[in-house]
Amino acid sequence: VLICTFGLRGSTFPNMITQRAVPFSLSIHRALEEELNVKSTVGATFGKVYCGVVGGLERHEFAVLGPSVNLAARLMASKDNPGILVDKNVRLLTFQIFFRPLPAVRAKGYDEPVPIFEPIRNAADNQWGPKRKHFVGRQNEVKHVM
């Protein structure tokens, strides 16, 4: 189990989910499958958590605790997880990736079924294929725009 957090208290940027967390989740999931042939599942959520030391003086650890961490773990371990599942908060905060809604799941600690979504493709990938970073023969125009 790998737990990743993006943004600390007071340093969360509006684009942290869109430009960092979700693309990271997609890339690490893809890399594990394609490069190492390791099947993985990811649960991604957004919310306030406690991040710090838990325990006593002699035995303690650094932990991340809270409802969104618990939900992420439940999404990750869900039998319905096709690879990556995100909650409603992540979906609403992410505009550069398209999501497919899946049937809501029952999760421990939640009275109502939890809406879940599967990221399906990047908004930059369109019907003509992914955007290309480099233009051929357009150095002057690119310099002018930049």
Side-chain angles (χ1 to χ4, degrees):
V1 174
L2 172 67
I3 297 176
C4 297
T5 62
F6 291 83
L8 298 172
R9 186 156 100 194
S11 68
T12 302
F13 301 99
N15 61 358
M16 189 67 73
I17 302 285
T18 299
Q19 294 182 351
R20 301 285 188 267
V22 175
F24 172 78
S25 298
L26 292 167
S27 67
I28 198 151
H29 176 72
R30 188 174 298 124
L32 284 170
E33 279 194 354
E34 292 175 3
E35 295 176 25
L36 300 175
N37 202 26
V38 173
K39 178 116 173 87
S40 67
T41 55
V42 176
T45 58
F46 177 80
K48 291 184 179 182
V49 299
Y50 169 77
C51 184
V53 178
V54 176
L57 291 174
E58 292 186 27
R59 185 169 181 265
H60 55 271
E61 64 184 0
F62 190 81
V64 181
L65 306 169
S68 60
V69 176
N70 297 343
L71 180 57
R74 302 213 190 296
L75 293 180
M76 178 190 75
S78 172
K79 64 180 175 58
D80 300 321
N81 191 334
I84 300 176
L85 288 178
V86 303
D87 70 348
K88 181 179 170 182
N89 293 333
V90 171
R91 188 219 167 274
L92 292 174
L93 292 167
T94 307
F95 54 87
Q96 294 178 334
I97 295 172
F98 295 118
F99 293 90
R100 177 176 48 192
L102 298 173
V105 296
R106 288 231 170 258
K108 184 177 176 183
Y110 291 84
D111 296 331
E112 299 293 321
V114 178
I116 58 172
F117 304 87
E118 177 189 12
I120 52 173
R121 68 182 180 101
N122 195 328
D125 296 341
N126 56 38
Q127 62 185 351
W128 298 284
K131 286 185 181 177
R132 297 180 193 248
K133 292 182 179 180
H134 305 289
F135 292 97
V136 176
R138 297 283 186 175
Q139 289 82 10
N140 292 333
E141 289 85 351
V142 171
K143 285 179 188 174
H144 181 71
V145 172
M146 297 298 196

